[in-house]
Structure formats: C-alpha cells, structure tokens
Amino acid sequence: MKKRQFLNATALAVLTLTAVSAFAQDSAFKIGLVLPMTGQQASTGRQIEAAARLYMAQNGDTVAGRKIELIVKDDTTIPDVTKRLSQELIVNDKVNVLAGFGITPSAFATAPLATQSKTPMVVMAAATSSITQASPYIVRTSFTLAQAAVAMGDWAPKNGIKKVVTLVSDYGPGIDAEKYFKERLVFNGGQVIDSLRVPLRGPDFAPFLQKVRDLKPDALFVFVPSGAGAAVMKQFLERGMDKAGIKLIGTGDITDDDQINDMGDGALGVVTSHHYSAAHPSAVNKKFVQAFEKANPGMRPNFMAVGGYDGMRVIYEALKATKGKGDGPALLAAMKGQIFESPRGPMFIDAQTRDVVQNIYLRKVEKVNGQLFNVEFDVIKDVKDPGKTK
Ligand code: PHB
C-alpha cells in the first residue's frame, strides 16, 4: 500500500469509528419499563409509571449526552407476558436497561433473559428475598418482606402480643413474610398458633377470618400484596375482629398509602413495619410527595412509587458514571454500591448482593390534617435483607 493510500485508509477508519461512537452517544438510551398497568396489580403499575415520569420531569430527559427514552409495556399482571415483552424489548427495541416488575413471578420469569443478554434489570416492586439471586444482572430498589417482617417480630412481643395467627398470600413474598416474622416472634418468646395462606388470585378472605376469630389470638399478622389490603381491612372490621380483642398487624403492604385514606377510621391504630410512608418527615420526602401529588391529582405516592423513583435515580447515576456508554456490564457495575438519600430515608445498593439496605420503620395509622397516614414512631436503621443465604 502506498503511503497516501495508507493514510487515506487510516483516516477513513478513524472517521468511521468516530461516527459510530458519535452515533452511540447521540442515539437514545432506552429503558424498558415492564409493569402491571391492568389486572390485579394495576395500582402498582400506575404508581411506578407516575414516579418514573416525575423523576424524568425533575431531572431532565438527557443524561451524559444521551436522550432517555422510556418504553412502558403492560404485562397485565401475567408473568408469561412479562417475559415475552421483556424479550421483545431486548431483541427488537435493544433496550439498555429493563425495569419495573410488579410481582415476584414476573421478576423470576425475566431473570434468565437479563443474564443471557447482559441487560441490567432494575426490580422496582417485587420483594421476595431470592429474586436477586436469580440473575447477576438484577439490582433491587424496592424492599424485601424478610426485611420488613423481622421488625414486626421484634415489636409485637414487646407490646403485649404473644399469640399470633399469620395470614399471607400463598406465593414468594407471603411465604417469606410468614417465615421471617415467625422466626423472630418465637425467638422473642411469642407463638404462632396457626399459619394460613390465601390464593394470590381473587382471594376470599371470609372463611380464613372466621377461623382466626375462633382461634382468638392476640393479633392477626397479615401480608397481602399492594392493592389487596383494603379488602382485608374491610372484612376484618365487618366481622368485628377488633371488638373481639384481636389486633391487626403486618407489613406496610396492608396499610398502603394508595388506599389507606379510604379505609375509614376503623384502620386507626393499626401498627405495621415498612420502609416507606408518605408521611416520612424529611425535607426530601415532603418535596417528593408534593411534586408527585401536583403531577398526579388525586393520587398519593406509595411504597411502589418510591421504588420506581429511586430505580430511575440508580439508572441515571449509572449512565452518568459511565459517561453515556450504554453497555450492560459497565452500567451494572455503576449501579452497585450507590448510596443516597431517598424519600424513604438513607438507601444503599449493597455491591455484593445488589439488594437494597435501608431503614425499616414501625408506624401507626393516625389522622393527620383529617387524612389517614402511617405515622412513623420507631426505626431500625440500615437493615440488610435477612433472607440472603450468601
Ligand atoms: C411481590 O410479588 O413480590 C410483591 C407484590 C406486592 C407487594 C409486595 C411484594 O406489596
């Protein structure tokens, strides 16, 4: 090759490379948000989408030179659909990140796809401990039921609750809640006199609650997924269980901010343990709640919303740290170890487990300015997921 030809070839190669990398930088950074927008968990999808859009409105839609494109897909609360939509997002849309995942079976169905395609998968809702072990590409910004339930297993026996019946939805998070609550309650000298499980789909609580009434425990501990709490509360009160001296306790999923204000005064005094309350008294949270309510009139953000909001933050910061490069392994590395103040309080993505370390609060339903809220009265700081086996 003559010198001039060689130079031309080199110049061409440099030009092409520059063009390719300029294209990569200029092209959209795609986030595939797969959520239950319809079906049993529709309120979760509505909350997370609203929070993700709020985060983008507040932080701009261009990050490190890349335009952020949010592609929202409705999995109709059916795990096979979550998997198919995620596959399409990876193969056809070439998304840089998958996010959302309203229920545990949807997260498990998608995990192998994240691994095969090396696509970071930000779990913003699903809360069974073992989810993060299903793929090294999963990062979680929600919580785990083990994290929340252990706090209640410590609080209850110190507050006169010794004999308990547990009632949980019969799938991953319910089984975790039952197990970790019981272990801690028994360790503290309490007793679980019966453990009841209700189906996830369309449960009828009536026969279970009748059984609890007959057993006369000090308290009934409940886990049902976000959106199902109001039905439990209604039937609990209609059957006069509170008047029969049975207290209702559980993880904060049952006194969901999405529903609590419509549950009526019968809910007053119910104590739950959880990682987020819309009444969390911090400046960051006040600002979040105000902005969320302004952008979504008639809605109050719940713990699902905060999982979505913080998930977007984790993605944005990873994109900044990697200077706009969209490649999966680099993004994943930049998600691990992030530490920041969330509307829920301090939050940390454990680099080893890729799971969230956060405060768990004890809260009581109270009236604040005429509205029902979960008012925090105690805190267990920096709780790691107790459900991790490694
Ligand atoms: C889950 O399916 O993992 C799940 C859903 C809703 C909740 C908690 C956990 O409130």
Side-chain angles (χ1 to χ4, degrees), residues 41 102-105 125-128 143 145 171 173 223-226 253 303-304:
Q41 298 306 121
I103 53 170
T104 287
T128 300
F143 75 113
L145 267 304
Y171 77 122
F223 164 78
V224 288
S226 179
D253 310 71
F303 61 99
M304 293 301 185

Side-chain angles (χ1 to χ4, degrees), residues 158-234:
K158 290 185 194 132
N159 289 275
I161 296 169
K162 300 282 183 202
K163 271 190 344 185
V164 181
V165 174
T166 60
L167 174 72
V168 302
S169 291
D170 191 5
Y171 77 122
I175 289 158
D176 277 359
E178 178 191 283
K179 175 171 183 257
Y180 287 92
F181 169 73
K182 180 176 177 176
E183 246 176 48
R184 196 57 79 98
L185 183 81
V186 169
F187 176 80
N188 288 311
Q191 199 190 348
V192 170
I193 57 173
D194 209 347
S195 297
L196 311 175
R197 295 180 182 178
V198 297
L200 171 62
R201 308 261 169 203
D204 174 11
F205 298 108
F208 294 96
L209 291 176
Q210 189 53 49
K211 182 149 192 221
V212 176
R213 233 200 121 126
D214 297 342
L215 287 164
K216 292 197 179 57
D218 299 327
L220 171 65
F221 170 92
V222 179
F223 164 78
V224 288
S226 179
V232 177
M233 184 72 78
K234 184 162 177 278

